[in-house]
Amino acid sequence: MSSAFTDPVGLFDLAGKTALITGSGGGIGLSLARGLGAAGARIVLNGRDAAKLSKAAGILEEAGVDHTSCAFDVSDDTAVEAAIEQIERDDGPIDILVNNAGTNRRGAMGDISADDYRMVMNANVDGLFFVTRSVAPYMEVRGRGKIINICSALSKLGRKGAVAYSGSKGAAAIMTASMCDELAPKGIQVNGIAPGYFLTEITEVIAQDEAHNTWLINRTPAGRWGEMQDLVGAAIFLASPASDFVNGHILAVDGGLTAVIGG
């Protein structure tokens, strides 16, 4: 057993690493891009909307974060393979992958169209699978890599009106476990972050619902919505050498929402 002790601060240093963050044109993805970039990583922004990516790139530029952009649809397996090959060739090795791209459609099952259901599954499940499947072989050759899947409190809790979304996020959590079993022996750590309720474009509509907002505040032990900065530390930890012996774990960042039954 080695008695060497590594500088604990250095364990969280991402200098020299390249991080691809899917769905990073805004919301959680852009916040994680800023956070990982501030920790030293070079960021590859991703999304389908080139104009939105350009705006996000401007925000990273102002923050002094080294970055580039690659627009592609994570649910298009052919486009994903081509994009990952391009990034590896032109921007250097992808050391960190954050599977963040996703969408939601709320409503009772009878009100969710087949197209809307498929849209949620295509983005939240297929996209996670296609991007990881394309990135992992490059990481395997190098014998190292960090993969972070953005799951949800609804990966383990059910809620009416969220059958499609919770189904997709439940899949993301168990896929994280299976990816761990496949990739951990090859030096790759695969983990997930399960945010609770955070104010984003997706949740804005329910944040404006006074009854739901009151319920959420009372249901969450921390007594508030999550703020974007609350996710950054978790992401840096799972992207850094500090988590080299953490694998297959879903880290809840939810103010205690999934830890208690609630009142």
Side-chain angles (χ1 to χ4, degrees), residues 13-21 36 40-44 84 87-88 91-98 135-136 138-148 187-190 235 238-241 243-244:
D13 185 9
L14 301 182
K17 304 296 184 182
T18 296
L20 167 62
I21 305 174
L36 296 186
R42 183 169 191 259
I43 303 299
V44 181
I84 299 307
I87 294 168
E88 285 277 337
D91 300 306
I94 298 170
D95 303 291
I96 302 158
L97 167 63
V98 181
V135 171
Y138 293 97
M139 291 182 170
E140 289 178 32
V141 170
R142 293 187 287 267
R144 66 181 188 279
K146 302 282 185 174
I147 298 174
I148 304 170
I188 301 167
Q189 288 79 56
V190 187
L238 293 178
S240 72
S243 62
D244 279 353

Side-chain angles (χ1 to χ4, degrees), residues 5-254:
F5 187 79
T6 304
D7 170 23
V9 175
L11 284 173
F12 297 90
D13 185 9
L14 301 182
K17 304 296 184 182
T18 296
L20 167 62
I21 305 174
T22 66
S24 47
I28 288 175
L30 179 55
S31 296
L32 295 183
R34 293 186 66 175
L36 296 186
R42 183 169 191 259
I43 303 299
V44 181
L45 293 168
N46 160 260
R48 295 179 298 173
D49 187 334
K52 195 173 182 180
L53 283 183
S54 179
K55 184 177 179 180
I59 292 173
L60 294 190
E61 186 73 29
E62 290 182 7
V65 172
D66 188 13
H67 66 279
T68 186
S69 299
C70 188
F72 63 89
D73 183 348
V74 297
S75 67
D76 182 338
D77 60 321
T78 301
V80 167
E81 288 185 13
I84 299 307
E85 180 181 1
Q86 176 188 328
I87 294 168
E88 285 277 337
R89 181 184 66 244
D90 299 341
D91 300 306
I94 298 170
D95 303 291
I96 302 158
L97 167 63
V98 181
N99 283 307
N100 170 76
T103 190
N104 191 9
R105 291 294 184 273
R106 295 184 183 84
M109 287 187 286
D111 297 329
I112 299 294
S113 69
D115 285 344
D116 281 347
Y117 172 80
R118 293 188 187 101
M119 182 182 297
V120 172
M121 292 298 169
N122 286 344
N124 299 6
V125 181
D126 296 355
L128 186 155
F129 176 79
F130 291 146
V131 177
T132 304
R133 183 182 67 175
S134 294
V135 171
Y138 293 97
M139 291 182 170
E140 289 178 32
V141 170
R142 293 187 287 267
R144 66 181 188 279
K146 302 282 185 174
I147 298 174
I148 304 170
N149 297 327
I150 302 302
C151 301
S152 169
L154 294 186
S155 291
K156 62 189 294 187
L157 295 177
R159 181 164 172 76
K160 63 183 178 181
V163 173
Y165 183 76
S166 61
S168 72
K169 290 303 183 177
I174 201 63
M175 288 168 72
T176 299
S178 293
M179 289 174 178
C180 158
D181 199 27
E182 181 173 336
L183 298 176
K186 300 169 183 177
I188 301 167
Q189 288 79 56
V190 187
N191 294 287
I193 295 175
Y197 282 84
F198 281 73
L199 290 171
T200 67
E201 294 175 0
I202 292 179
T203 61
E204 184 176 0
V205 62
I206 58 175
Q208 295 173 354
D209 182 331
E210 185 175 347
H212 183 277
N213 189 61
T214 299
W215 168 83
L216 176 64
I217 297 302
N218 292 333
R219 174 66 178 79
T220 305
R224 65 174 176 86
W225 284 76
E227 299 175 2
M228 291 300 180
Q229 63 185 14
D230 294 322
L231 292 169
V232 171
I236 292 174
F237 167 62
L238 293 178
S240 72
S243 62
D244 279 353
F245 201 54
V246 178
N247 226 320
H249 179 66
I250 307 298
L251 177 55
V253 185
D254 62 7

